[in-house]
Amino acid sequence: MLTGVTDGIFCCLLGAPPNAVGPLESVESSDGYTFVEVKPGRVLRVKHAGPAPVPTLPPPLPDTAQGDQSGLVRCQRRITVYRNGRLLVENLGRAPRADLLHGQNGSGEPPASLEVELVDPAGSDGRSGPVSTGSGSAGRRRRARRPKRTIHIDCEKRITSCKGTQADVVLFFIHGVGGSLAIWKEQLDFFVRLGYEVVAPDLAGHGASSAPQVAAAYTFYALAEDMRAIFKRYAKKRNVLIGHSYGSVSFCTFLAHEYPDLVHKVIMINGGGPTALEPSFCSIFNMPTCVLHCLSPCLAWSFLKAGFAHQGAKEKQLLKEGNAFNVSSFVLRAMMSGQYWPEGDEVYHAELTVPVLLVHGMHDKFVPVEEDQRMAEILLLAFLKLIDEGSHMVMLECPETVNTLLHEFLLWEPEPQPNSLPAPPEEKK
């Protein structure tokens, strides 16, 4: 604690944050890591592992033109945005989420419509209002209100099983604020053993990636472009995005929206609700960098209390090994202040047609379970899994449970729809 205060005083006097990660001179590594220059002077460390490439290509996926309807779902949705700040989402035709709901805490067909109050019509606080589901009668009562815009979604998607033996499958792991690719160690080892190709980057300023001393380098848009560069470098035909916290609800959503034909499935771990990102003006992270550095021991202790269900020696060791919350005060402040992404609202998430698995640790004090439940309601193809004994860092606390859930979702594929099966031949008289 005394060391942190002393370093903070020197930080204020010298006007520079201590312990900043410097630019990397080499792009090669002998310990299994790759250093990728996403733009001049901006280098990210990437863990890229997987089976050795095989000379023979896997058999092609069955062609829908030949009548094979396995794994094929029809996504039909109408999204209406009203001028009074309300959102009406209507699932048209046969709902593709019926078989997904078997994995949720509940069963039955999804609602025909979902009505969301985006903002207070009076504009008092700008917060999202309550969510209500129904048959759409509420929308008819407001038919006098003219819609601001209407979005139609009508597409077919082939959702297939992703196995480690398939050479066109890549798993991307994206961590959140204050973490590093080390938080995915158990998942990376598990899926590499199963034959998967995995890619896990360190965000700028985290882990062993370079840390520019400019706040603009840590805005959502700057980090999203980094993730786009990594994705385009390693992506294959079927790519699965796996994110934690800020890494899931933001960067995974962004990539899935930008590349709907390349992103096969998405997994969000303690990601939160489908609301637009906006930094808080009453946050402790708005304090000067030197003050944050003085408080760094207290912040680390608070993160341990809120991020783990238990705070024993095991959790402290996991926090240390996972390199979580171990970034400079400057980077931490810039990351929290740069979380501005107005495009990522409920409409943006409702437009996604990729299957999404939501994993939530019930002891999470950062992300309430209601936020993930709201996300599950907004998304078209999604289901929610709750882990009773886990918290925000559930991938470190319960690696076996998380690995099992992730693997089951990778292997999942929807059953053929009854109305898409060929008609039986007529009997001859």
Side-chain angles (χ1 to χ4, degrees):
M1 180 72 175
L2 181 60
T3 304
V5 174
T6 305
D7 290 342
I9 295 174
F10 279 110
C11 170
C12 291
L13 294 176
L14 299 177
N19 302 327
V21 181
L24 298 167
E25 297 179 358
S26 174
V27 295
E28 300 294 336
S29 175
S30 59
D31 55 1
Y33 296 97
T34 303
F35 293 94
V36 179
E37 189 175 31
V38 292
K39 61 178 61 175
R42 194 176 177 96
V43 180
L44 303 184
R45 181 180 68 159
V46 178
K47 179 72 173 180
H48 180 213
V54 292
T56 58
L57 295 176
L61 295 175
D63 189 3
T64 57
Q66 299 176 359
D68 187 352
Q69 299 294 317
S70 61
L72 191 66
V73 297
R74 182 75 176 270
C75 302
Q76 292 179 290
R77 202 171 222 196
R78 180 166 58 234
I79 306 170
T80 306
V81 183
Y82 291 92
R83 297 183 183 277
N84 66 337
R86 303 188 74 88
L87 173 70
L88 179 64
V89 180
E90 298 171 278
N91 295 320
L92 309 176
R94 175 179 168 82
R97 293 179 57 190
D99 55 342
L100 283 172
L101 287 177
H102 293 301
Q104 291 195 28
N105 296 332
S107 59
E109 291 288 335
S113 66
L114 173 71
E115 190 171 2
V116 181
E117 185 177 346
L118 294 178
V119 295
D120 188 347
S124 57
D125 57 4
R127 293 182 181 180
S128 298
V131 180
S132 61
T133 58
S135 60
S137 59
R140 289 193 295 271
R141 286 198 300 268
R142 296 182 181 86
R143 62 180 179 272
R145 297 186 181 276
R146 299 179 59 184
K148 183 178 181 180
R149 60 179 172 135
T150 302
I151 303 168
H152 293 272
I153 300 174
D154 188 354
C155 66
E156 287 186 343
K157 294 187 70 70
R158 178 172 293 277
I159 306 170
T160 57
S161 171
C162 297
K163 301 179 181 179
T165 55
Q166 297 166 329
D168 63 343
V169 175
V170 184
L171 310 184
F172 290 84
F173 292 82
I174 306 177
H175 68 82
V177 178
S180 73
L181 62 85
I183 69 171
W184 301 112
K185 181 181 183 305
E186 295 292 337
Q187 287 69 48
L188 298 177
D189 293 343
F190 176 80
F191 285 105
V192 168
R193 287 196 301 268
L194 292 178
Y196 286 91
E197 181 179 356
V198 300
V199 176
D202 278 335
L203 296 179
H206 295 67
S209 292
S210 58
Q213 296 305 300
V214 180
Y218 303 99
T219 64
F220 165 80
Y221 297 102
L223 297 171
E225 288 304 316
D226 291 348
M227 294 303 99
R228 185 203 296 270
I230 296 297
F231 181 78
K232 292 174 65 176
R233 179 185 179 94
Y234 295 103
K236 291 187 177 179
K237 186 175 182 179
R238 288 182 291 173
N239 306 280
V240 181
L241 305 178
I242 306 167
H244 173 244
S245 192
Y246 186 32
S248 63
V249 75
S250 301
F251 306 124
C252 288
T253 302
F254 169 77
L255 292 174
H257 204 279
E258 292 288 300
Y259 302 99
D261 296 330
L262 290 177
V263 175
H264 200 63
K265 295 176 181 178
V266 173
I267 299 172
M268 301 182 183
I269 302 177
N270 294 93
T275 55
L277 291 178
E278 185 174 350
S280 174
F281 294 103
C282 300
S283 172
I284 189 176
F285 298 103
N286 289 328
M287 293 184 176
T289 301
C290 55
V291 176
L292 283 180
H293 190 74
C294 292
L295 298 176
S296 58
C298 297
L299 293 175
W301 179 82
S302 300
F303 182 82
L304 177 66
K305 294 285 289 184
F308 290 85
H310 306 282
Q311 292 81 40
K314 174 186 175 182
E315 285 72 27
K316 293 179 181 178
Q317 185 65 23
L318 288 173
L319 189 65
K320 180 179 179 181
E321 293 177 353
N323 203 24
F325 218 72
N326 186 26
V327 297
S328 72
S329 302
F330 173 80
V331 171
L332 185 60
R333 184 180 190 274
M335 287 280 290
M336 299 302 292
S337 301
Q339 293 185 4
Y340 178 71
W341 184 36
E343 296 90 345
D345 57 5
E346 285 91 341
V347 178
Y348 192 91
H349 288 81
E351 290 177 324
L352 293 179
T353 57
V354 60
V356 180
L357 168 66
L358 303 171
V359 179
H360 184 88
M362 288 300 292
H363 292 275
D364 191 350
K365 295 182 177 64
F366 292 111
V367 180
V369 66
E370 291 79 12
E371 292 193 18
D372 276 326
Q373 290 172 339
R374 181 184 178 89
M375 178 73 84
E377 292 175 335
I378 286 289
L379 294 173
L380 176 63
L381 292 161
F383 63 95
L384 174 63
K385 286 291 186 178
L386 307 178
I387 301 180
D388 293 333
E389 62 275 17
S391 185
H392 194 66
M393 305 301 292
V394 66
M395 78 289 294
L396 293 174
E397 297 173 294
C398 313
E400 295 85 4
T401 304
V402 171
N403 292 343
T404 300
L405 290 177
L406 268 57
H407 193 213
E408 289 178 349
F409 182 65
L410 294 179
L411 299 180
W412 169 80
E413 59 182 337
E415 298 178 357
Q417 297 181 4
N419 58 0
S420 64
L421 297 177
E426 297 181 359
E427 297 182 1
K428 296 183 180 180
K429 297 182 180 180

